[in-house]
């Protein structure tokens, strides 16, 4: 299953870009990052067998184990692509949210979208580690 991060805004050369790169290089599942302009532009076409996860302030707050198990379930069900959408500073509207299969939030606080990208990359790496039974992750 392809893990596909689709994010608004160009991350460029920045500390956040370094964090994203650090974790994306560790992913054991196929992955791709697509950057979109802050406004406009069309999302890549959605192929059959795609799950769309949107990072949104109105989303569920999942623990790392639950997040990993959802990815495992989609993978095992034959999902071809799992898209993770990160919006620009103004986020998503209700119509966008309605098209997502799952809304997730990294807590109740507002995060800059570049930090959200780094946090998502880290959680994807952590999920891959959990699914591989790597001893690093510890539930507290």
């Amino acid at each position: 299953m392809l893990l596909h991060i689709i994010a608004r805004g160009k991350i460029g050369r920045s500390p956040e870009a370094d964090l994203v790169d650090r974790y994306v290089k560790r992913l054991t599942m196929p992955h791709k990052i697509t950057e979109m302009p802050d406004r406009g532009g069309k999302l890549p076409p959605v192929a059959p067998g795609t799950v769309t996860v949107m990072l949104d302030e109105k989303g569920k707050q999942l623990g790392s184990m639950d997040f990993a198990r959802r990815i495992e379930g989609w993978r095992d069900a034959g999902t071809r692509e799992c898209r993770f959408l990160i919006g620009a500073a103004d986020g998503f509207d209700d119509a966008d949210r309605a098209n997502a299969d799952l809304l997730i939030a990294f807590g109740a606080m507002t995060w800059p979208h570049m930090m959200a990208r780094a946090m998502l990359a880290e959680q994807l790496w952590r999920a891959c580690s959990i699914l591989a039974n790597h001893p690093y992750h510890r539930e507290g």
Side-chain angles (χ1 to χ4, degrees):
M1 178 175 75
L2 176 68
L3 302 175
H4 189 178
I5 299 172
I6 302 172
R8 293 274 178 190
K10 303 291 184 191
I11 201 165
R13 297 177 72 199
S14 65
E16 296 89 354
D18 292 341
L19 279 172
V20 171
D21 191 49
R22 176 187 300 172
Y23 290 109
V24 166
K25 284 181 179 177
R26 296 178 185 175
L27 290 176
T28 55
M29 294 177 75
H31 56 276
K32 177 180 178 178
I33 296 176
T34 300
E35 290 188 330
M36 304 279 300
D38 283 332
R39 298 191 192 288
K42 289 188 173 189
L43 291 172
V46 179
T50 297
V51 169
T52 299
V53 178
M54 186 175 286
L55 275 66
D56 187 81
E57 64 188 5
K58 295 182 180 182
K60 293 181 181 184
Q61 295 180 39
L62 302 176
S64 296
M65 291 293 290
D66 189 21
F67 184 62
R69 295 298 168 225
R70 286 177 186 249
I71 290 172
E72 178 181 45
W74 293 324
R75 180 198 66 195
D76 293 352
T79 299
R80 297 182 67 200
E81 177 182 345
C82 186
R83 296 176 156 212
F84 297 89
L85 303 181
I86 302 173
D90 293 331
F92 299 102
D93 62 26
D94 289 335
D96 293 327
R97 288 183 194 102
N99 289 322
D101 296 297
L102 176 65
L103 302 176
I104 61 173
F106 290 136
M109 294 181 174
T110 301
W111 292 97
H113 60 283
M114 295 301 174
M115 283 296 299
R117 194 182 309 190
M119 292 169 22
L120 175 60
E122 192 279 341
Q123 285 299 305
L124 289 172
W125 165 74
R126 186 175 299 273
C128 288
S129 296
I130 290 167
L131 297 178
N133 295 314
H134 191 277
Y136 173 76
H137 180 76
R138 294 171 185 81
E139 279 295 297

